[in-house]
Amino acid sequence: MAARRPSIALLVLGALLLLGQPGPATGQAVQQRQFIERDVPVQAEADDAVQARSQALLDGQVAALQRLMARLSGRDPASLPEVAPGQIDRYVRSFEILQEQVGARSYAARLTVDFRQEAVQELLDRNGISYALVPTLPTVVLAYAPGGDPYLDSDPWRSAVLDAAGQSVAVEPILPLGDAQDLAIAEAQALAGDAGTLQPVAERYGADAVLVAHAAPASDGSQGLVVSGQYLDRDGLVQAVPALSVPPGPDGQADYPAAATALLAVLDRQIGQASVRSDATVELLSATVPLADLSSWVQIRRALEDTPEIRSTRIERMTRREARIVIGHVGSVEGLQAALQRRGLALSQEIEGWRLGRAGDRPMSTIGG
């Protein structure tokens, strides 16, 4: 009797399960810009400008890596492993030089450094450093400044905030329409971080978050700025971005781009540090995933990859009817359930054990009948 060959659906599913399995360290699909450090100052002096430039660029890339690891881990840079300048090429994908100033024996500039994600994660893992990859969320941006207009394209503060948000790790900016419904938003309540004011804004635009960015003149009579913000996250909680003082630009005028960049950088660090659990123990949870069809598994796999609380996913076995997986997660099971629910998944405990599926799916179904 000839042996039965596995169905095409089962073979394809097996390939998806094996190839799409999240890596052991992160289990998260993140945008490469999480591994970009911007506006890194570099400066050096040497016997001539060429040597000064070479030294400054090398030191700047090392400093950028330390800053990146500090942002991802929430740790003091002094507690992080040092990378020798001769090894930095292993981690750097590319860099861009901005604002060069070349002297006879000196060099200064600002760098944007794009790092290799896998190499940086391997460095952190090798040194036992916990870190968080922050999901980039669609975020409605409201930018308020005295005499400004948060809905007018020519408003300098609005433009600066949108530009900075476009380079942010955490924020994917959404522009409000500026129609009658937007104009009815109470500015005072928005600036105070009133969740009852901001939540309807997020719901209207189908956004996960709302950022209120505020710029005010410095109190010393200069053209400096004091900037602050309020951030409504996808759980409906509001956190304040502390006030920052930003001096005038080289021309003596208000430096809106620098102020917006500084504000978004603080927000990125704030969200990242809230996500990091440096002392968290990874707990293992076994769950059964009923398999309805190929597309349902693909959706579940992607949702698992995008859940920051999940650090690893391992497939124990797979049949035509179901997959058995082990999830490595940080935090409580209740927190994991809430995080998965936000991604359209239901994790429930039944008589047979934990079951994971798409919210609203029938309890059991099969591939191929």
Side-chain angles (χ1 to χ4, degrees), residues 103-134:
R105 294 185 298 176
S106 64
Y107 180 85
R110 307 192 84 81
L111 297 184
T112 294
V113 187
D114 186 350
F115 290 94
R116 303 180 192 276
Q117 176 178 336
E118 297 81 4
V120 173
Q121 290 177 312
E122 191 274 335
L123 174 63
L124 293 168
D125 292 336
R126 189 171 68 246
N127 287 274
I129 298 172
S130 298
Y131 57 94
L133 302 178
V134 180

Side-chain angles (χ1 to χ4, degrees), residues 8-10 12-14 16 291-299 367:
I8 295 297
L10 187 57
V12 174
L13 178 59
L16 286 172
L291 301 178
D293 48 41
L294 295 179
S295 64
S296 66
W297 167 253
V298 171
Q299 292 177 22
I367 295 177

Side-chain angles (χ1 to χ4, degrees), residues 7-368:
S7 69
I8 295 297
L10 187 57
L11 289 174
V12 174
L13 178 59
L16 286 172
L17 290 170
L18 294 174
L19 295 176
Q21 185 176 348
T26 72
Q28 301 174 41
V30 298
Q31 296 187 14
Q32 176 60 30
R33 68 178 175 181
Q34 295 224 30
F35 289 83
I36 297 176
E37 280 298 314
R38 305 177 188 277
D39 199 37
V40 180
V42 301
Q43 186 172 6
E45 294 185 357
D47 292 340
D48 56 54
V50 174
Q51 292 183 40
R53 182 180 188 274
S54 177
Q55 186 62 50
L57 296 181
L58 196 59
D59 291 346
Q61 293 173 72
V62 172
L65 178 57
Q66 294 297 119
R67 199 165 86 172
L68 171 66
M69 291 192 293
R71 172 164 60 80
L72 293 176
S73 67
R75 293 192 178 188
D76 187 316
S79 69
L80 296 169
E82 294 186 4
V83 174
Q87 298 177 331
I88 194 63
D89 285 346
R90 176 181 178 185
Y91 303 99
V92 174
R93 184 191 303 272
S94 63
F95 64 88
E96 181 182 2
I97 303 171
L98 305 170
Q99 301 178 16
E100 279 188 304
Q101 297 179 12
V102 182
R105 294 185 298 176
S106 64
Y107 180 85
R110 307 192 84 81
L111 297 184
T112 294
V113 187
D114 186 350
F115 290 94
R116 303 180 192 276
Q117 176 178 336
E118 297 81 4
V120 173
Q121 290 177 312
E122 191 274 335
L123 174 63
L124 293 168
D125 292 336
R126 189 171 68 246
N127 287 274
I129 298 172
S130 298
Y131 57 94
L133 302 178
V134 180
T136 305
L137 301 181
T139 304
V140 180
V141 176
L142 299 173
Y144 294 102
D149 189 330
Y151 310 110
L152 191 63
D153 289 342
S154 60
D155 181 79
W157 176 236
R158 176 183 185 270
S159 298
V161 172
L162 290 176
D163 287 344
Q167 298 179 346
S168 163
V169 171
V171 175
E172 188 66 48
I174 294 176
L175 295 176
L177 298 173
D179 58 11
Q181 193 168 342
D182 285 336
L183 294 174
I185 297 172
E187 180 176 337
Q189 280 76 13
L191 292 175
D194 177 55
T197 299
L198 301 180
Q199 189 64 54
V201 177
E203 293 172 356
R204 182 191 181 200
Y205 287 98
D208 289 322
V210 178
L211 170 63
V212 181
H214 183 224
S219 59
D220 60 4
S222 71
Q223 292 297 310
L225 296 168
V226 177
V227 296
S228 59
Q230 299 287 344
Y231 180 76
L232 175 84
D233 65 22
R234 59 186 170 189
D235 293 322
L237 303 176
V238 179
Q239 53 181 292
V241 184
L244 303 168
S245 296
V246 180
D251 60 357
Q253 301 301 309
D255 196 341
Y256 288 107
T261 298
L263 182 68
L264 267 297
V266 170
L267 177 63
D268 282 346
R269 288 195 298 270
Q270 198 166 307
I271 294 175
Q273 289 171 2
S275 302
V276 174
R277 302 174 186 268
S278 298
D279 57 350
T281 300
V282 176
E283 303 288 345
L284 299 179
L285 182 147
S286 297
T288 299
V289 183
L291 301 178
D293 48 41
L294 295 179
S295 64
S296 66
W297 167 253
V298 171
Q299 292 177 22
I300 290 172
R301 174 176 58 80
R302 289 174 178 168
L304 293 174
E305 291 174 349
D306 291 337
T307 304
E309 289 82 358
I310 294 178
R311 298 297 171 84
S312 65
T313 304
R314 186 178 76 252
I315 301 168
E316 285 193 319
R317 61 180 173 84
M318 183 268 295
T319 69
R320 293 180 58 174
R321 294 174 59 88
E322 65 186 27
R324 185 72 175 173
I325 64 174
V326 177
I327 299 172
H329 68 95
V330 294
S332 66
V333 173
E334 292 78 11
L336 176 63
Q337 288 175 303
L340 290 170
Q341 185 177 21
R342 290 193 295 269
R343 289 159 180 80
L345 299 182
L347 177 65
S348 58
Q349 191 168 28
E350 302 179 353
I351 296 175
E352 302 83 1
W354 288 100
R355 176 186 180 276
L356 175 67
R358 296 182 302 181
D361 275 357
R362 291 181 297 176
M364 288 295 295
S365 55
T366 63
I367 295 177

